[in-house]
Amino acid sequence: MILPGKTLGMLGGGQLGRMFVMAAHAMGYHVIVLDPDPDSPAGRIADEHIHASYSDQWALEQLMNNCDAVTTEFENIPASTLKKLEQSVPVRPSSAAVEIAQNRIVEKTFLADNGFETARFFPIYDKDDLDFALTQIGTTAILKVASFGYDGKGQAIVNNLDEAIAAFESMGSVHCVLEEKISLKTEVSVVLARGTEGKIACYPVGENHHVNGILEYTAVPSLLSKRILDRAINEASVFSEKMDYCGVMAVEFFHTIDDRLLINEVAPRPHNSGHYTIDACKTSQFEQQVRMLCGLPAGSVDLLSPVVMFNILGDIWSNGEPDWSQLLSNPDVKLHLYGKREARAGRKMGHFTCLGNSTVELLEETRRLANALPKP
Ligand code: ATP
Ligand code: MG
């Protein structure tokens, strides 16, 4: 076990890294953040911030020499970086796990090979692959870049070959997947922790609502049937076992209008849809990430209260800093702002969670609170 007083390395300095630093500090660990941005949200509050690229050999030597274990806040860290660090320090999750999650072709192929149901998909390496894939899918499809997509960026809905070719070329003709556009009833996600000895702790399933490919809110407890929720938990658990995963991970699911549960994607780290755990669970997903990294047992995943987490995007900064007074005058609301210097449309700047008696009531209250924020 790596105990408080030791130093943890975090690859990536975004909001997820920042919330990890906060949790690690609360428990008495030191944190070194590596991020090329000199002003990154996590780097600013870390004990040390190395601003260098993720493949800078000097920076990696620093982490290897000064950290007792290293983790990551996003999946696009080069696998070569994780492999190098792994030679001299525990890296959780492993390079092998991150390598699967960082490329949609590898990830979806891994899912399919292990018997998990996904939306039908085809790897697209070249524009000549599009015709066959579109014909096979036979309906509206979504073209997604294989690497570096987030918040629905690097995606296009396509209805025919001309649109598919235009979208592929506009994405720079990089490797992509073409997947069937699913008729969704809703979306859910499971955040879980799996320890060094394989013990799994799953948080309650979050029910997610997206707008334009960006998560808008997560509600817990979900209103879906226990049968579907148990299935999501079971699939996520089995998936983490197949990967021999160590750390916190999130599995995103589509729940289709014909009642199927498909895995959309996995994140080898805490997830936006798990932010509700900070205020509504005995152990936040970030404390859990610290615990998994340090070889400690998982903290309790018990839900303390029904909750809705609502994302705050940069769009509402068009007239400067929003007036938070109404939000903050509600005693059941927790506001989290990530300390990003620049607000841009679609950029996640923070979130708020609203705690209360029931999901249905909270969905209404959250909508009312969101509507009272400045209009984009
Ligand atoms: P993030 O990493 O922020 O979760 P992402 O950019 O990796 O997002 P996806 O999770 O693939 O993107 O897609 C974002 C959202 O777009 C989904 O949660 C869903 O609402 C919608 N979407 C994506 N793929 C499909 C699909 N095949 N059919 C229907 N809706 C889809
Ligand atoms: Mg997603």
Side-chain angles (χ1 to χ4, degrees), residues 5 27 117-118 133 141 188 207 220 237 325 332 338 367:
M27 296 168 80
E117 203 182 346
T118 65
V188 295
E207 188 166 336
V220 183
S237 304
S325 55
D332 295 320
Y338 306 148
R367 185 58 69 195

Side-chain angles (χ1 to χ4, degrees), residues 33-51:
V33 166
L34 172 61
D35 189 297
D37 174 3
D39 201 27
S40 75
R44 286 213 307 277
I45 64 163
D47 297 273
E48 197 184 323
H49 178 194
I50 305 173
H51 29 97

Side-chain angles (χ1 to χ4, degrees), residues 104 144 151-152 155 187 210 213 252 264-265 271:
R104 288 190 204 277
K144 301 182 177 180
D151 288 348
Q155 298 195 10
E187 295 179 69
H210 292 77
E252 292 178 51
N264 170 25
E265 60 173 357
H271 192 257

Side-chain angles (χ1 to χ4, degrees), residues 75 104 119 142 144 149-153 155 179-184 187 210 212-215 252 254 264-265 269 271 348:
E75 48 276 25
R104 288 190 204 277
I142 304 187
K144 301 182 177 180
Y150 70 99
D151 288 348
K153 292 186 176 56
Q155 298 195 10
E179 79 183 38
E180 175 188 4
K181 184 170 186 304
I182 301 296
S183 298
L184 299 173
E187 295 179 69
H210 292 77
N212 299 327
I214 306 179
L215 182 66
E252 292 178 51
F254 294 145
N264 170 25
E265 60 173 357
R269 51 169 171 79
H271 192 257
K348 288 173 182 163

